[in-house]
Amino acid sequence: MKNVKYVSIAAGLIMTASAGVASAADGDGFPTPSWKAGVITSNEGVNVRGEPTTNSTLWSTLDAGAVAGFTCKVRGQEVDGNDLWYRLNVDRVRYVTARYVQTRKHIPYCGYKPSLDPVDLQPVTAEEAPMG
C-alpha cells in the first residue's frame, strides 16, 4: 500500500498522517467514494486561500502528494492558464487552484457564480450553469 498523506485543515492549520485505515481509502489511496478528492501535483505544494485568487489571504499550504477532499469548483483568477479553483471540504471557505490538483472524479461547480468579491455572489440558474 502506498504511503499517502491525508490532509485535514482546522483553523488554518494543516495536519498530515500516513494512510493506514483500509476503510478510509480505496486501493489507490483516494478517500472513500463519498469524497470528491484530488492529489496535489506541484512539487512545491499548493497554497490554501480564502478566495479563488492569489491576492486573497494565504491560510496554509498543502504538501506535494497530499490528498484533499473538495466540495465543488468555481472560476477565479487564472493560474498558468487554468481559472478553476476547488473549494476544500472543510468547515471554513478555503480554495486551492485546480492547476496543481489531479482529480479522479468529476468535481461539480459550486451553486454560485464565481466572484472575487464575496458580496457579489449570486445564485446560478440552470441556463447559466457551466457544464463540465
Side-chain angles (χ1 to χ4, degrees):
M1 181 179 199
K2 295 179 188 174
N3 187 12
V4 177
K5 295 178 185 176
Y6 284 88
V7 179
S8 173
I9 300 176
L13 299 174
I14 299 289
M15 299 179 294
T16 60
S18 295
V21 181
S23 63
D26 67 15
D28 294 327
F30 277 86
T32 54
S34 62
W35 283 32
K36 299 168 199 85
V39 176
I40 306 306
T41 61
S42 169
N43 290 334
E44 292 80 36
V46 68
N47 291 327
V48 176
R49 304 263 182 195
E51 294 293 327
T53 172
T54 60
N55 297 322
S56 69
T57 302
L58 172 62
W59 289 99
S60 56
T61 302
L62 299 179
D63 293 333
V67 176
F70 305 108
T71 59
C72 56
K73 63 186 172 188
V74 298
R75 293 199 183 276
Q77 179 185 7
E78 197 171 285
V79 176
D80 290 337
N82 187 337
D83 69 347
L84 293 176
W85 289 70
Y86 294 131
R87 182 173 173 175
L88 288 161
N89 187 17
V90 294
D91 292 340
R92 293 176 169 57
V93 177
R94 300 289 186 257
Y95 296 92
V96 296
T97 176
R99 171 63 182 91
Y100 301 111
V101 177
Q102 178 185 8
T103 59
R104 191 170 79 174
K105 292 190 173 206
H106 171 74
I107 308 294
Y109 280 90
C110 299
Y112 296 94
K113 289 182 181 177
S115 171
L116 299 182
D117 183 358
V119 174
D120 293 335
L121 292 178
Q122 307 213 357
V124 174
T125 66
E127 295 80 30
E128 295 175 313
M131 300 303 288

